[in-house]
Amino acid sequence: MSASASDFDPTSANLTELSQAQIACYFALSGNDYNGRLGERIAALFVILIISTLVTFFPVVAKRVKWVKIPLYVYLFARYFGAGVIVATAFIHLLDPAYGEIGPDTCVGLTGNWSVYSWPPAIVLLSVTVIFLMDVGAQRYVEMRYGCGEEQNLEDLVTGRSHHNGHHEPGPGIPASALDASDMDVLRGQEISKKDDDRTSESASYDDEKVQAMETNAFRQQIAAFLILEFGVIFHSVVIGMNLGVVGDEFSTLFPVLVFHQSFEGLGIGARMSAIPFPRGSWLPWILCTAYGLTTPIAIAIGLGLRTTYNPNSFTANVVSGLFDSVSAGILIYTGLVELLARDFLFDPLRTKDNKRLVFMLVCVILGMALMALLGKWA
């Protein structure tokens, strides 16, 4: 806890002589609340491990294991409910706690340089901007490296001409005969035809190579965005897992809420992962699902190991949690709104035209948001 609270005596406080920081730090001060029930906490570790891991695996199994026959609407529910969960997690479970840890009215936010600015939204903005620039840079690299995404210049659009690979095609006023060598003999024509066939073959080979390279880079871009998303979710899971290991009387409420909390977040992680085109036979999706499933149980175990010394309300703990919650909130806000919702519903040319299915997908998103937001009342 900040030193500003060290000389605060609540039994003889003169409010005219005390700073806001001293008062805020005093009320934020609380020691370790651990009250035993070690067996129940160990059981909670295994319950969360099993349930959250299975739920995280579900969308990936539904998409990648062909012999598992899962109805389409069950998969759609998992995918889009999970997308809604990610968005709600960003605002309710990360941004709001960040304000409670380093916001303007907190012990940290009223102390030293933390008091000169409202840092949570600034850190979120920085996080969103960095992820956005990384996304733009990755897409632009693919366009420049592999020649996709060519655009016509203004002159071509006005005159109705098109260009490909830097060469203009003849407009409507240019006769084709002007471009032909009509006085060539038959042998020369055959040679030209043979060269054209060779060029066509080479072009087809190049196009195949380009498509394969673009697919590879698209995968790299998506997996990079996903790893950033998983980092944001995993850090949040570490914090709440450690808190479950040391919380006092609130354990009875926090434990069942945390089971749903981690399951819903796991569904979001698995749903996002199921949409990534991993190479055939890749073990990476299974490894990443397992990593998420293990995170909270390991954090609970760490909390139990530090159950008599760890103070989740200390000044240092609030600074660390507030910083990472703000960064993670920015990551999940961008990922949830852009990568999951905008690209699936607004910019996807293959989006379903079936109104019934589209409404179902939207309802799943809203349901995921609503339930995850409701859980924010307790955890």
Side-chain angles (χ1 to χ4, degrees), residues 26-358:
Y26 172 77
F27 283 108
L29 180 64
S30 68
N32 185 283
D33 296 328
Y34 177 77
N35 61 353
R37 306 171 68 179
L38 182 60
E40 295 180 40
R41 296 172 195 266
I42 294 175
L45 184 157
F46 288 101
V47 170
I48 292 175
L49 169 64
I50 295 171
I51 295 179
S52 63
T53 302
L54 291 177
V55 172
T56 307
F57 271 101
F58 175 76
V60 179
V61 171
K63 188 71 176 290
R64 296 179 62 85
V65 181
K66 301 303 182 184
W67 56 266
V68 177
K69 304 298 182 182
I70 295 178
L72 172 63
Y73 277 85
V74 175
Y75 170 73
L76 291 177
F77 171 81
R79 177 170 176 174
Y80 293 105
F81 180 89
V85 165
I86 294 298
V87 174
T89 298
F91 289 98
I92 306 299
H93 296 267
L94 291 172
L95 183 58
D96 182 62
Y99 272 97
E101 292 156 345
I102 60 173
D105 297 326
T106 64
C107 172
V108 175
L110 292 169
T111 304
N113 291 328
W114 291 99
S115 63
V116 301
Y117 196 74
S118 180
W119 290 106
I123 298 170
V124 169
L125 177 62
L126 177 62
S127 179
V128 168
T129 303
V130 170
I131 302 303
F132 166 70
L133 292 177
M134 290 173 59
D135 204 1
V136 172
Q139 291 195 22
R140 187 57 184 149
Y141 170 78
V142 172
E143 291 173 356
M144 295 177 64
R145 176 67 178 82
Y146 299 102
C148 64
E150 294 179 356
E151 59 180 355
Q152 291 181 314
N153 61 36
L154 182 60
E155 180 184 354
D156 291 335
L157 292 173
V158 172
T159 60
R161 293 180 303 200
S162 63
H163 64 85
H164 181 68
N165 292 333
H167 300 289
H168 290 278
E169 296 178 358
I174 302 177
S177 59
L179 304 179
D180 294 334
S182 56
D183 57 344
M184 290 184 176
D185 57 20
V186 176
L187 179 60
R188 178 61 175 164
Q190 291 175 344
E191 291 175 352
I192 292 175
S193 177
K194 182 176 183 300
K195 290 180 180 179
D196 287 342
D197 290 342
D198 291 341
R199 291 193 191 100
T200 301
S201 177
E202 292 175 1
S203 177
S205 176
Y206 172 75
D207 287 342
D208 291 342
E209 180 181 352
K210 182 171 71 172
V211 168
Q212 183 177 2
M214 288 171 59
E215 289 177 349
T216 300
N217 278 271
F219 164 73
R220 290 173 180 171
Q221 179 183 346
Q222 290 186 51
I223 192 62
F226 173 80
L227 291 175
I228 293 171
L229 165 67
E230 185 162 17
F231 164 79
V233 173
I234 279 181
F235 177 80
H236 177 55
S237 299
V238 168
V239 172
I240 59 179
M242 291 183 66
N243 289 345
L244 185 65
V246 300
V247 73
D249 295 335
E250 296 88 356
F251 175 81
S252 298
T253 301
L254 186 59
F255 169 42
V257 170
L258 196 55
V259 171
F260 285 102
H261 182 284
Q262 292 306 106
S263 298
F264 289 168
E265 281 191 352
L267 197 60
I269 289 289
R272 179 71 185 97
M273 204 182 313
S274 70
I276 299 176
F278 287 94
R280 185 181 299 275
S282 173
W283 284 92
L284 190 56
W286 313 112
I287 294 172
L288 293 174
C289 285
T290 303
Y292 171 79
L294 289 173
T295 299
T296 302
I298 290 175
I300 296 173
I302 294 173
L304 291 175
L306 302 174
R307 60 186 179 275
T308 60
T309 57
Y310 174 65
N311 182 4
N313 297 310
S314 68
F315 188 88
T316 301
N318 278 324
V319 170
V320 174
S321 296
L323 286 172
F324 278 96
D325 279 348
S326 298
V327 171
S328 300
I331 292 172
L332 266 65
I333 286 172
Y334 181 86
T335 302
L337 297 181
V338 177
E339 299 284 347
L340 300 182
L341 298 188
R343 288 189 178 174
D344 276 5
F345 289 98
L346 300 179
F347 307 128
D348 184 3
L350 301 179
R351 189 196 68 201
T352 179
K353 303 300 187 293
D354 184 337
N355 287 333
K356 177 184 175 183
R357 184 179 300 174
L358 180 60

Side-chain angles (χ1 to χ4, degrees), residues 84 88 365-375:
V365 171
I366 295 171
L367 182 62
M369 291 180 183
L371 290 181
M372 199 62 178
L374 179 62
L375 290 180

